[in-house]
Short mmCIF file of all heavy atoms in Angstrom, two decimals:
data_model
loop_
_atom_site.label_atom_id
_atom_site.label_comp_id
_atom_site.label_asym_id
_atom_site.label_seq_id
_atom_site.Cartn_x
_atom_site.Cartn_y
_atom_site.Cartn_z
N VAL A 3 0.84 -1.20 -0.04
CA VAL A 3 0.09 -0.02 0.00
C VAL A 3 0.91 1.21 -0.02
O VAL A 3 1.83 1.39 0.79
CB VAL A 3 -0.89 0.05 1.25
CG1 VAL A 3 -1.77 1.30 1.20
CG2 VAL A 3 -1.73 -1.27 1.35
N HIS A 4 0.52 2.18 -0.90
CA HIS A 4 1.23 3.39 -0.88
C HIS A 4 0.26 4.60 -0.79
O HIS A 4 -0.71 4.64 -1.47
CB HIS A 4 2.06 3.61 -2.36
CG HIS A 4 2.88 4.87 -2.36
ND1 HIS A 4 4.00 5.06 -1.56
CD2 HIS A 4 2.71 5.97 -3.03
CE1 HIS A 4 4.59 6.17 -1.80
NE2 HIS A 4 3.75 6.87 -2.65
N VAL A 5 0.50 5.41 0.16
CA VAL A 5 -0.44 6.46 0.45
C VAL A 5 0.18 7.86 0.32
O VAL A 5 1.31 8.02 0.72
CB VAL A 5 -0.93 6.39 1.93
CG1 VAL A 5 -1.89 7.42 2.23
CG2 VAL A 5 -1.62 5.08 2.20
N VAL A 6 -0.54 8.75 -0.30
CA VAL A 6 -0.09 10.22 -0.47
C VAL A 6 -1.24 11.21 0.03
O VAL A 6 -2.40 11.07 -0.68
CB VAL A 6 0.27 10.61 -1.85
CG1 VAL A 6 0.85 12.01 -1.92
CG2 VAL A 6 1.51 9.69 -2.33
N LEU A 7 -1.04 11.92 0.89
CA LEU A 7 -2.16 12.82 1.53
C LEU A 7 -2.05 14.24 1.00
O LEU A 7 -0.87 14.65 0.56
CB LEU A 7 -2.19 12.83 3.03
CG LEU A 7 -2.44 11.42 3.83
CD1 LEU A 7 -2.49 11.71 5.20
CD2 LEU A 7 -3.86 11.01 3.33
N PRO A 8 -3.02 15.10 1.00
CA PRO A 8 -3.04 16.38 0.84
C PRO A 8 -2.13 16.95 1.90
O PRO A 8 -2.04 16.49 3.00
CB PRO A 8 -4.50 16.91 0.92
CG PRO A 8 -5.34 15.62 0.67
CD PRO A 8 -4.52 14.45 1.25
N PRO A 9 -1.50 18.10 1.59
CA PRO A 9 -1.53 18.92 0.44
C PRO A 9 -0.71 18.52 -0.72
O PRO A 9 -0.76 19.06 -1.70
CB PRO A 9 -1.08 20.38 0.99
CG PRO A 9 -0.08 19.92 2.08
CD PRO A 9 -0.69 18.65 2.63
N VAL A 10 0.06 17.39 -0.46
CA VAL A 10 0.85 16.88 -1.71
C VAL A 10 0.07 16.26 -2.74
O VAL A 10 0.24 16.57 -3.97
CB VAL A 10 1.85 15.79 -1.20
CG1 VAL A 10 2.67 15.20 -2.26
CG2 VAL A 10 2.80 16.44 -0.05
N ALA A 11 -1.04 15.63 -2.37
CA ALA A 11 -1.97 15.05 -3.40
C ALA A 11 -3.11 16.08 -3.61
O ALA A 11 -3.93 16.37 -2.57
CB ALA A 11 -2.65 13.78 -2.79
N LEU A 12 -3.15 16.72 -4.59
CA LEU A 12 -3.94 17.90 -4.71
C LEU A 12 -5.51 17.62 -4.89
O LEU A 12 -6.28 18.42 -4.61
CB LEU A 12 -3.60 18.59 -6.05
CG LEU A 12 -2.10 19.19 -6.13
CD1 LEU A 12 -1.79 19.89 -7.48
CD2 LEU A 12 -1.89 20.05 -4.95
N ASP A 13 -5.76 16.48 -5.26
CA ASP A 13 -7.29 16.04 -5.55
C ASP A 13 -7.76 15.12 -4.35
O ASP A 13 -8.76 14.41 -4.65
CB ASP A 13 -7.44 15.42 -6.88
CG ASP A 13 -6.90 16.29 -7.93
OD1 ASP A 13 -7.34 17.52 -7.83
OD2 ASP A 13 -6.48 15.95 -9.00
N GLY A 14 -7.14 15.13 -3.25
CA GLY A 14 -7.57 14.34 -2.13
C GLY A 14 -6.57 13.07 -1.99
O GLY A 14 -5.71 12.90 -2.71
N PRO A 15 -6.85 12.40 -0.92
CA PRO A 15 -5.94 11.24 -0.60
C PRO A 15 -5.83 10.21 -1.81
O PRO A 15 -6.78 9.90 -2.37
CB PRO A 15 -6.60 10.46 0.66
CG PRO A 15 -7.42 11.64 1.33
CD PRO A 15 -7.87 12.42 0.11
N ALA A 16 -4.49 9.81 -2.11
CA ALA A 16 -4.23 8.92 -3.19
C ALA A 16 -3.78 7.60 -2.55
O ALA A 16 -2.78 7.72 -1.78
CB ALA A 16 -3.29 9.51 -4.19
N VAL A 17 -4.26 6.67 -2.86
CA VAL A 17 -4.01 5.28 -2.30
C VAL A 17 -3.78 4.31 -3.58
O VAL A 17 -4.61 4.15 -4.36
CB VAL A 17 -4.99 4.67 -1.40
CG1 VAL A 17 -4.63 3.34 -0.73
CG2 VAL A 17 -5.37 5.73 -0.23
N THR A 18 -2.62 3.60 -3.45
CA THR A 18 -2.35 2.58 -4.42
C THR A 18 -2.08 1.32 -3.86
O THR A 18 -1.23 1.24 -2.95
CB THR A 18 -1.08 2.87 -5.34
OG1 THR A 18 -1.33 4.32 -5.84
CG2 THR A 18 -0.91 1.95 -6.43
N ILE A 19 -2.80 0.32 -4.01
CA ILE A 19 -2.72 -1.11 -3.47
C ILE A 19 -2.27 -2.06 -4.62
O ILE A 19 -3.01 -2.29 -5.58
CB ILE A 19 -3.99 -1.55 -2.88
CG1 ILE A 19 -4.40 -0.59 -1.74
CG2 ILE A 19 -3.84 -2.89 -2.23
CD1 ILE A 19 -5.83 -0.88 -1.02
N ARG A 20 -1.19 -2.66 -4.33
CA ARG A 20 -0.73 -3.70 -5.28
C ARG A 20 -0.95 -5.10 -4.52
O ARG A 20 -0.17 -5.34 -3.54
CB ARG A 20 0.83 -3.43 -5.71
CG ARG A 20 1.09 -4.26 -6.86
CD ARG A 20 2.58 -4.03 -7.35
NE ARG A 20 3.60 -4.69 -6.56
CZ ARG A 20 4.93 -4.59 -6.72
NH1 ARG A 20 5.29 -3.62 -7.48
NH2 ARG A 20 5.69 -5.12 -5.90
N LYS A 21 -1.82 -5.77 -5.07
CA LYS A 21 -2.11 -7.05 -4.37
C LYS A 21 -1.18 -8.13 -4.60
O LYS A 21 -0.48 -8.16 -5.63
CB LYS A 21 -3.54 -7.60 -4.85
CG LYS A 21 -4.68 -6.79 -4.40
CD LYS A 21 -6.01 -7.08 -5.05
CE LYS A 21 -6.40 -8.48 -4.72
NZ LYS A 21 -7.67 -8.94 -5.32
N PHE A 22 -0.87 -8.90 -3.53
CA PHE A 22 -0.06 -10.15 -3.57
C PHE A 22 -0.83 -11.44 -3.32
O PHE A 22 -1.04 -11.64 -2.13
CB PHE A 22 1.12 -9.97 -2.52
CG PHE A 22 2.37 -9.28 -3.18
CD1 PHE A 22 2.35 -7.87 -3.40
CD2 PHE A 22 3.38 -10.06 -3.52
CE1 PHE A 22 3.44 -7.35 -4.06
CE2 PHE A 22 4.51 -9.42 -4.15
CZ PHE A 22 4.43 -8.08 -4.41
N PRO A 23 -1.27 -12.03 -4.28
CA PRO A 23 -1.92 -13.29 -4.24
C PRO A 23 -0.99 -14.47 -3.88
O PRO A 23 0.09 -14.17 -3.31
CB PRO A 23 -2.61 -13.60 -5.63
CG PRO A 23 -1.60 -12.81 -6.51
CD PRO A 23 -1.01 -11.60 -5.76
N GLU A 24 -1.28 -15.58 -4.19
CA GLU A 24 -0.34 -16.79 -3.94
C GLU A 24 0.91 -16.53 -4.67
O GLU A 24 0.88 -15.94 -5.77
CB GLU A 24 -1.05 -18.04 -4.43
CG GLU A 24 -2.23 -18.47 -3.59
CD GLU A 24 -1.86 -18.92 -2.24
OE1 GLU A 24 -0.86 -19.61 -2.13
OE2 GLU A 24 -2.50 -18.49 -1.31
N PRO A 25 2.05 -16.76 -4.12
CA PRO A 25 3.36 -16.54 -4.69
C PRO A 25 3.36 -17.27 -6.19
O PRO A 25 2.87 -18.40 -6.30
CB PRO A 25 4.35 -17.37 -3.86
CG PRO A 25 3.62 -17.44 -2.50
CD PRO A 25 2.22 -17.52 -2.79
N ILE A 26 3.81 -16.48 -7.14
CA ILE A 26 3.90 -17.05 -8.47
C ILE A 26 5.23 -17.78 -8.67
O ILE A 26 6.24 -17.28 -8.51
CB ILE A 26 3.81 -15.87 -9.51
CG1 ILE A 26 2.36 -15.29 -9.49
CG2 ILE A 26 4.09 -16.40 -10.95
CD1 ILE A 26 2.24 -14.15 -10.49
N THR A 27 5.20 -19.02 -8.94
CA THR A 27 6.37 -19.93 -8.94
C THR A 27 6.96 -19.77 -10.42
O THR A 27 6.29 -19.16 -11.34
CB THR A 27 6.03 -21.34 -8.81
OG1 THR A 27 5.04 -21.73 -9.78
CG2 THR A 27 5.36 -21.53 -7.48
N MET A 28 8.14 -20.26 -10.49
CA MET A 28 8.84 -20.19 -11.76
C MET A 28 8.07 -21.10 -12.83
O MET A 28 8.04 -20.77 -14.06
CB MET A 28 10.35 -20.76 -11.67
CG MET A 28 11.17 -20.70 -12.91
SD MET A 28 11.43 -18.64 -13.25
CE MET A 28 12.60 -18.35 -11.93
N GLU A 29 7.37 -22.19 -12.33
CA GLU A 29 6.53 -23.01 -13.34
C GLU A 29 5.49 -22.10 -13.87
O GLU A 29 5.02 -22.20 -15.15
CB GLU A 29 6.01 -24.19 -12.56
CG GLU A 29 6.95 -25.24 -12.27
CD GLU A 29 7.84 -24.89 -11.01
OE1 GLU A 29 7.59 -23.89 -10.21
OE2 GLU A 29 9.03 -25.48 -10.96
N LYS A 30 4.84 -21.23 -13.06
CA LYS A 30 3.75 -20.39 -13.57
C LYS A 30 4.36 -19.37 -14.46
O LYS A 30 3.72 -19.02 -15.53
CB LYS A 30 3.14 -19.72 -12.41
CG LYS A 30 2.10 -20.69 -11.60
CD LYS A 30 1.35 -19.90 -10.56
CE LYS A 30 0.50 -20.73 -9.71
NZ LYS A 30 -0.31 -19.97 -8.72
N LEU A 31 5.50 -18.77 -14.26
CA LEU A 31 6.18 -17.86 -15.12
C LEU A 31 6.45 -18.45 -16.59
O LEU A 31 6.38 -17.92 -17.46
CB LEU A 31 7.49 -17.32 -14.51
CG LEU A 31 7.13 -16.43 -13.27
CD1 LEU A 31 8.56 -15.86 -12.73
CD2 LEU A 31 6.46 -15.13 -13.56
#
């Protein structure tokens, strides 16, 4: 999770979530 709040984020709080599901194995890659 990455969060940036005002006043740096001009249009309101910005939240970016990068989900981590089950680990991707070399076989899946």
Side-chain angles (χ1 to χ4, degrees):
V3 182
H4 183 71
V5 177
V6 183
L7 295 183
V10 177
L12 301 180
D13 300 317
V17 182
T18 306
I19 301 176
R20 195 173 82 185
K21 290 171 61 178
F22 265 77
E24 291 294 318
I26 296 179
T27 62
M28 193 61 73
E29 287 73 20
K30 287 184 179 179
L31 291 178

